[in-house]
Amino acid sequence: VSGMVYGIAAMHEANALRTGDPTARARRIKRDARIALSSPPFARAWTLRAQAYAADAQGRPEEALSWLADAQTEAEECGQIIDLAISQYQRGIRLGGDEGAALVAAARGGIAAAGSHERMLEEDAGLR
């Protein structure tokens, strides 16, 4: 359970960083992510996405794409359908082109199949 709590903390901090909150700190994201990623896989994909959003906030888009690819792999391996869709969508909108469009379409299909709403895909506060 602590891994999930730290994963959630990393995501909240990443979104604060993405929206320009002057009190947000990338080092807190890294610390919380390190703890979450060493725990059982309840929030690992979430935590990897938080690191992607932090990388974006710090002007490192290639690193963000790498984190999102890792999040996608983690979610797929753990059978976390909603996390997989969010990871695909976030990666797809950043990649653009045919590859990005295919990821976005897969994400929309996946989130609908899971019985969730497309709004779930818009997790990154920096892109809302």
Side-chain angles (χ1 to χ4, degrees), residues 7-76:
I8 291 168
M11 180 61 74
H12 285 292
E13 190 76 14
N15 273 316
L17 191 65
R18 289 287 283 156
T19 58
D21 183 336
T23 65
R25 298 287 179 262
R27 71 176 183 278
R28 280 196 294 256
I29 298 164
K30 288 182 182 192
R31 180 202 62 209
D32 291 347
R34 186 179 61 251
I35 294 167
L37 293 173
S38 67
S39 301
F42 296 120
R44 291 180 61 120
W46 174 299
T47 303
L48 293 166
R49 290 193 314 272
Q51 295 201 93
Y53 306 151
D56 266 342
Q58 296 173 318
R60 298 190 313 264
E62 294 301 319
E63 183 181 335
L65 283 169
S66 178
W67 284 116
L68 289 168
D70 290 348
Q72 185 177 335
T73 300
E74 178 70 26
E76 196 164 28

Side-chain angles (χ1 to χ4, degrees), residues 93-112:
I93 60 176
R94 285 166 172 80
L95 282 173
D98 291 341
E99 183 179 1
L103 285 169
V104 167
R108 288 188 171 132
I111 204 81

